[in-house]
Amino acid sequence: MRDSLIQQKTVKTQIKRAWLQLVHFGWQQALSCLFPVVIFGSLALTQVIPLPILPRYDWLLIIFLLMQWWMVRSGLETRDELKVITMFHLIGLALEIFKVNMGSWSYPEDGYFKILGVPLYSGFMYASVASYLCQAWRRLDVNLVKWPPLWAVVPLAAAIYLNFFTHHYWIDIRWWLSALVVIVFWQSWVTYAVNGTRYRMPLAFSFVLIGFFIWVAENIATFFGAWKYPNQSDTWQLVGIGKLSSWLLLVIVSFLIVATLKMIKEKSPVK
């Protein structure tokens, strides 16, 4: 009887600890998502509350610029992380300009700060992915186990990014690239700390998880009019599950770039 009570108490303690760990992990994730939360909140508010003087897209740009300035000013992001985020802004903006002019989606509202039909605020949606990765990396003390060599990682990231452009003119090789990701990262793991306890998961599985949540976020963003796909021109519809593969590959590119830059930074001599 006594052993049974002790066993029940042990199980309750383990469940309580697991719950506390999950809550702490969720809180750290929420803090890491601060920039994306501001983006979604701004999209929602500006959809229902009309702002004076400037078009909605331009107000979104101003809000995101102020948010980025505040995060660096307050120390939530470092200057090195700002460089990474800025690079993602430019990479995302280039992709947006190409995709919009290929008819993949559109930004139908007016705006003064547009380039070839693409509002400048759109780059921040890609930058927010980099912001999340940088924040989560630092907050959860992320480490990589059996990370592939640069000669495999860099060409793979470049090929994935280029395929977003070339598949309009040539065959779409995303599934071949996805298979190559599994092969290259088959033995790779990511470890992270929650309240001093380290956990690990296969790196490829972490790609899938992040890609899925970005696909969910994309549905929220299109619902609030961040952009529109052709089938959403008349009324909002759920973004097709096929887009999940695109976000998965984009997450992989983002993760590879952030991881590579962090590894190069760690190996560079202290000045």
Side-chain angles (χ1 to χ4, degrees):
M1 182 69 177
R2 183 181 177 184
D3 290 342
S4 177
L5 291 174
I6 293 175
Q7 187 176 10
Q8 290 179 8
K9 186 177 180 180
T10 301
V11 171
K12 289 181 179 178
T13 301
Q14 291 175 342
I15 292 174
K16 181 180 179 180
R17 173 172 169 73
W19 172 250
L20 290 174
Q21 289 291 88
L22 181 62
V23 169
H24 184 79
F25 177 76
W27 175 243
Q28 294 301 316
Q29 288 287 337
L31 291 175
S32 301
C33 289
L34 186 58
F35 206 158
V37 167
V38 169
I39 287 178
F40 291 128
S42 301
L43 288 170
L45 288 175
T46 57
Q47 182 82 328
V48 297
I49 302 175
L51 297 175
I53 304 173
L54 294 174
R56 176 177 178 240
Y57 286 167
D58 297 330
W59 275 114
L60 289 171
L61 175 62
I62 292 172
I63 293 169
F64 299 161
L65 284 171
L66 289 174
M67 181 61 186
Q68 184 66 82
W69 172 83
W70 177 78
M71 290 189 72
V72 176
R73 179 77 174 178
S74 64
L76 286 174
E77 284 181 349
T78 67
R79 293 187 180 275
D80 282 341
E81 289 171 348
L82 177 61
K83 295 174 185 176
V84 175
I85 291 167
T86 301
M87 182 178 68
F88 272 88
H89 190 288
L90 297 175
I91 290 174
L93 189 60
L95 183 60
E96 287 289 310
I97 291 172
F98 178 81
K99 289 291 188 178
V100 165
N101 285 275
M102 291 299 295
S104 298
W105 54 80
S106 65
Y107 292 90
E109 298 179 33
D110 294 329
Y112 293 111
F113 296 98
K114 271 187 168 184
I115 299 178
L116 299 176
V118 177
L120 293 181
Y121 88 81
S122 64
F124 278 103
M125 292 186 288
Y126 294 84
S128 68
V129 176
S131 176
Y132 161 75
L133 289 174
C134 290
Q135 292 276 327
W137 203 293
R138 180 159 32 87
R139 293 179 184 280
L140 297 174
D141 189 24
V142 171
N143 285 316
L144 301 173
V145 180
K146 295 186 178 180
W147 182 255
L150 285 179
W151 61 261
V153 171
V154 174
L156 178 58
I160 292 173
Y161 181 70
L162 289 174
N163 186 65
F164 285 110
F165 297 86
T166 58
H167 81 83
H168 288 278
Y169 307 104
W170 192 50
I171 59 173
D172 188 351
I173 59 172
R174 72 178 64 190
W175 299 113
W176 293 98
L177 291 170
S178 299
L180 193 57
V181 167
V182 173
I183 294 171
V184 171
F185 293 98
W186 182 255
Q187 294 184 313
S188 299
W189 293 74
V190 58
T191 70
Y192 55 96
V194 180
N195 268 341
T197 302
R198 294 205 71 84
Y199 302 90
R200 73 172 191 166
M201 72 169 64
L203 188 57
F205 182 61
S206 71
F207 293 154
V208 173
L209 284 179
I210 298 173
F212 171 75
F213 283 111
I214 292 180
W215 175 76
V216 172
E218 180 185 31
N219 278 282
I220 298 173
T222 55
F223 179 79
F224 289 125
W227 67 89
K228 287 186 177 181
Y229 288 106
N231 66 330
Q232 297 174 328
S233 57
D234 296 326
T235 183
W236 181 82
Q237 298 181 43
L238 189 71
V239 177
I241 195 67
K243 289 290 182 182
L244 182 59
S245 63
S246 297
W247 283 115
L248 174 60
L249 290 173
L250 188 64
V251 165
I252 293 170
V253 172
S254 304
F255 194 96
L256 298 187
I257 293 175
V258 171
T260 301
L261 291 176
K262 282 186 173 291
M263 293 176 70
I264 292 174
K265 179 69 176 179
E266 290 172 359
K267 291 179 180 180
S268 63
V270 178
K271 296 184 179 179

